[in-house]
């Protein structure tokens, strides 16, 4: 088997944070920060599978023959690639435990949990979908998505793993330019279902929104009226690609704490807080109407202004709920002072990250000044794109590097492991964002055609 790669994006919440907890709508969109998985076959024995994740300091090897195949292949337990799995089997989880306890035994408790969660997601997918006859492989994972920042890094990784194993099984068709939309949608659905299973291993009770965005790309609007029921998810197929700054405050925050803060405020001032939540809901609805309108053009400043205004209003309402932070306000202040665009917090707030939609007339010198200020004050900035592609495939792992005039370049594990930081990873294997043109070789399933079965598209998050 030739070496190949899969890739999937992270995500940000663009509108609707906290209001979504109370049954209102929120919008999440893909960003161009991505995870990349290189799958390399081992030609000779031993029959091992190895998971290498250098960005979190993890590497572990399992002997294929020693894995608990008898438990996963039992007639009462066996799952197939076309099955819908909406919960983990406790007996199968238990069967994996002896193969997880020796993952990173010398790591700190926090790192050990992170490593074992990743190993658990990988093994559950590998054992559910694969077979004992699988050849040895090395799965090498790199990510440009900050971990633990609410940017969907785990879902991105699970989509990479799901798509890679399904490709190894030859149960996916395409992607190719002439693939019918309904056929492409079926492939996306299949990847998404199994990525959700990986998220179950990591988070226990995920909403399914992160993996849906990571698989399909673009954006979704989601609403969860009752937490005993699954959210309703509406894909936004024509969501435009927009230039975005993502700024990590490096301020730790607790989602539970911020949610509790809003709940307490609502209990004390229901007559005031409820209209704020309703207004946030209207913002998400207005944003959806805006980007799906035939009049919306991301190249026209008036369209971008309206999108940015909604972001700014949304932030103001979130600040009124008490979930901003001085560091988030400082980022907004800098962007306003330099007239670079429109900024808001993303996610739970109380720290975490801010996003900024860039004004098309943003001054390069002001952008450089912003970079200097952010560096000076300890922030971490990423230049990214909002609303990009979902899961992608590079088969074989060969890229054409037009920007260096090097011709075709085969991606091997050593080069992949030695890529330094976000810029190094993107330069070597990136799908093509920011400073780089779209790269030849990467292919994506497109579900934006006229024959998409929307009911089936929403199934993965109907958990």
């Amino acid at each position: 088997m030739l070496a190949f790669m899969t890739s999937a994006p992270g995500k940000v919440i663009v509108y609707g944070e906290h209001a979504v907890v109370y049954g209102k709508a929120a919008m999440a969109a893909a960003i161009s920060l991505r995870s990349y998985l290189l799958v390399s076959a081992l030609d000779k024995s031993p029959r091992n599978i190895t998971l290498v994740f250098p960005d979190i300091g993890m590497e572990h090897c399992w002997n294929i023959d020693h894995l608990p195949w008898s438990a996963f292949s039992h007639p009462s337990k066996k799952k197939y690639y076309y099955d819908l799995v909406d919960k983990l089997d406790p007996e199968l989880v238990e069967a994996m435990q002896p193969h997880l306890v020796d993952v990173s035994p010398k790591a700190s408790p926090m790192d050990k949990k992170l490593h074992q969660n990743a190993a658990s997601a990988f093994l559950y997918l590998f054992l559910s979908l694969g077979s004992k006859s699988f050849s040895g492989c090395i799965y090498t994972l790199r990510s440009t998505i900050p971990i633990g920042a609410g940017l969907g890094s785990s879902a991105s990784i699970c989509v990479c793993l799901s798509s890679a194993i399904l490709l190894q099984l030859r149960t996916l068709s395409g992607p190719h330019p002439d693939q019918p939309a309904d056929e492409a949608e079926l492939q996306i659905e299949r990847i998404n279902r199994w990525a959700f299973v990986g998220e179950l291993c990591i988070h226990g009770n995920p909403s399914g929104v992160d993996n849906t965005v990571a698989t399909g790309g673009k954006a979704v609007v989601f609403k969860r009226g009752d937490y005993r029921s699954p959210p309703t998810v509406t894909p936004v197929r024509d969501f435009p690609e927009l230039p975005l700054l993502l700024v990590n405050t490096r301020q730790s925050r607790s989602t539970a704490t911020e949610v509790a803060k809003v709940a307490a405020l609502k209990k004390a001032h229901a007559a005031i807080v409820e209209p704020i939540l309703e207004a946030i809901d209207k913002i998400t609805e207005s944003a959806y109407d805006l980007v799906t309108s035939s009049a919306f053009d991301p190249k026209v400043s008036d369209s971008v202004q309206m999108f940015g205004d909604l972001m700014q209003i949304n932030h103001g309402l979130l600040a009124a709920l008490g979930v901003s932070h001085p560091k988030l306000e400082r980022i907004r202040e800098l962007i306003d002072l330099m007239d670079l665009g429109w900024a808001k917090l993303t996610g739970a707030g109380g720290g975490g990250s801010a996003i900024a939609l860039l004004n098309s007339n943003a001054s390069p010198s002001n952008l450089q000044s912003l970079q200097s200020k952010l560096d000076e004050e300890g922030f971490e900035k990423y230049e990214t794109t909002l609303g990009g592609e979902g899961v992608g495939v590079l088969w074989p792992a060969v890229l054409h590097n037009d920007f260096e005039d090097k011709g075709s370049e085969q991606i091997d594990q050593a080069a992949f492991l030695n890529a330094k930081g976000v810029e190094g990873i993107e330069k070597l294997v990136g799908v093509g964002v920011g400073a780089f043109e779209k790269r030849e070789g990467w292919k994506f399933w497109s579900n934006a055609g006229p024959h998409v079965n929307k009911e089936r598209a929403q199934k993965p998050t109907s958990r």
Side-chain angles (χ1 to χ4, degrees), residues 103-120:
V103 172
S104 303
K106 296 181 180 179
S108 69
M110 183 179 296
D111 285 346
K112 186 175 181 179
K113 181 180 179 182
L114 180 66
H115 296 180
Q116 291 186 348
N117 280 344
S120 174

Side-chain angles (χ1 to χ4, degrees), residues 4 66 100 122 148 184 210 214 227 282 302 310 363 365 391 403 450:
F4 71 95
H66 296 167
L100 296 172
F122 169 70
D210 285 10
Y227 269 73
K282 290 295 183 185
D302 286 350
L310 291 172
S363 159
S365 62
V391 59
F403 54 85

Side-chain angles (χ1 to χ4, degrees), residues 401-435:
N401 289 315
D402 284 335
F403 54 85
E404 288 192 346
D405 196 28
K406 284 187 175 181
S408 296
E409 179 181 0
Q410 184 168 347
I411 309 303
D412 61 24
Q413 190 196 28
F416 193 40
L417 287 171
N418 289 329
K420 301 296 185 185
V422 172
E423 185 176 346
I425 295 169
E426 288 293 346
K427 187 174 181 180
L428 180 67
V429 300
V431 302
V433 293

Side-chain angles (χ1 to χ4, degrees), residues 32-64:
S32 55
L33 298 176
R34 302 178 70 93
S35 297
Y36 296 91
L37 178 68
L38 174 67
V39 182
S40 312
L42 297 174
D43 295 329
K44 300 177 181 179
S45 56
R47 288 176 22 81
N48 292 335
I49 50 168
T50 303
L51 183 61
V52 184
F53 194 171
D55 301 309
I56 61 171
M58 178 199 172
E59 179 172 348
H60 195 78
C61 181
W62 296 270
N63 185 299
I64 295 173

Side-chain angles (χ1 to χ4, degrees), residues 21-146:
V21 175
Y22 298 95
K24 316 302 183 186
M27 181 182 287
I31 55 174
S32 55
L33 298 176
R34 302 178 70 93
S35 297
Y36 296 91
L37 178 68
L38 174 67
V39 182
S40 312
L42 297 174
D43 295 329
K44 300 177 181 179
S45 56
R47 288 176 22 81
N48 292 335
I49 50 168
T50 303
L51 183 61
V52 184
F53 194 171
D55 301 309
I56 61 171
M58 178 199 172
E59 179 172 348
H60 195 78
C61 181
W62 296 270
N63 185 299
I64 295 173
D65 296 324
H66 296 167
L67 292 172
W69 295 108
S70 58
F72 278 80
S73 61
H74 190 277
S76 65
K77 305 290 185 183
K78 178 61 182 172
K79 300 297 181 184
Y80 297 91
Y81 67 89
Y82 47 78
D83 285 329
L84 174 64
V85 179
D86 58 6
K87 59 184 177 182
L88 301 179
D89 187 314
E91 293 181 14
L92 298 183
V93 172
E94 183 64 28
M96 289 197 310
Q97 294 313 303
H99 306 275
L100 296 172
V101 292
D102 59 346
V103 172
S104 303
K106 296 181 180 179
S108 69
M110 183 179 296
D111 285 346
K112 186 175 181 179
K113 181 180 179 182
L114 180 66
H115 296 180
Q116 291 186 348
N117 280 344
S120 174
F122 169 70
L123 276 188
Y124 202 98
L125 294 180
F126 185 81
L127 289 164
S128 295
L129 292 167
S131 72
K132 200 172 181 178
S133 62
F134 249 52
S135 299
C137 281
I138 300 175
Y139 297 83
T140 307
L141 185 66
R142 300 296 307 272
S143 184
T144 65
I145 308 167

